[in-house]
Amino acid sequence: QVSLVESGGGVVQAGGSLRLSCAASARAFSRYTMGWFRQAPGKEREFVAATRWTGSIYYTESAKGRFTISRDNAKTTAYLQMNSLKGEDTAVYFCAADAESPWPPSRDVKSYDYWGRGTQVTVSS
């Protein structure tokens, strides 16, 4: 069993930045694809970005140019740097791990084996 714990959420003004972290318990972290998803009130959980163990990175169009995903395999931690935040970025952000690690990564929540409990990001205007 893999435990994922997100941190770094909070309230920020539009145009501001936040850095989310996802600490994983697994020694196999370096072989997983790590993904970030978000879920706004009343909406389905949506894919934001993913990074494979090879270092490959994939973003949705809404994240490109503003968000940066990264990972530190030695620390078994994934990150999501979010800049130029907008009101529509308000959501609970989840990290997830895909042990199968396909590429390009799956954008389907059902493909991910492990999930964190999420961290709230609120962007005020």
Side-chain angles (χ1 to χ4, degrees):
Q1 188 67 21
V2 176
S3 172
L4 302 176
V5 180
E6 302 96 337
S7 61
V11 180
V12 63
Q13 289 190 334
S17 299
L18 283 174
R19 188 193 194 205
L20 306 183
S21 299
C22 172
S25 65
R27 292 181 179 180
F29 172 88
S30 62
R31 298 195 296 272
Y32 294 165
T33 286
M34 297 301 297
W36 284 97
F37 289 74
R38 66 186 183 185
Q39 187 166 17
K43 295 189 177 181
E44 293 187 352
R45 193 170 299 188
E46 65 174 3
F47 174 84
V48 175
T51 173
R52 198 178 187 222
W53 59 272
T54 57
S56 300
I57 290 174
Y58 187 88
Y59 297 101
T60 58
E61 285 300 317
S62 64
K64 284 181 182 178
R66 297 190 302 125
F67 293 1
T68 302
I69 189 172
S70 62
R71 65 192 295 158
D72 185 332
N73 288 338
K75 295 182 178 179
T76 63
T77 301
Y79 305 95
L80 186 68
Q81 176 69 42
M82 304 186 295
N83 300 326
S84 302
L85 284 162
K86 307 174 182 178
E88 51 262 44
D89 296 317
T90 294
V92 178
Y93 283 71
F94 299 88
C95 72
D98 185 344
E100 191 173 327
S101 197
W103 204 260
S106 174
R107 301 163 65 130
D108 186 348
V109 297
K110 298 175 184 176
S111 297
Y112 287 76
D113 304 287
Y114 307 104
W115 289 85
R117 299 182 67 176
T119 185
Q120 176 71 46
V121 171
T122 302
V123 183
S124 62
S125 55

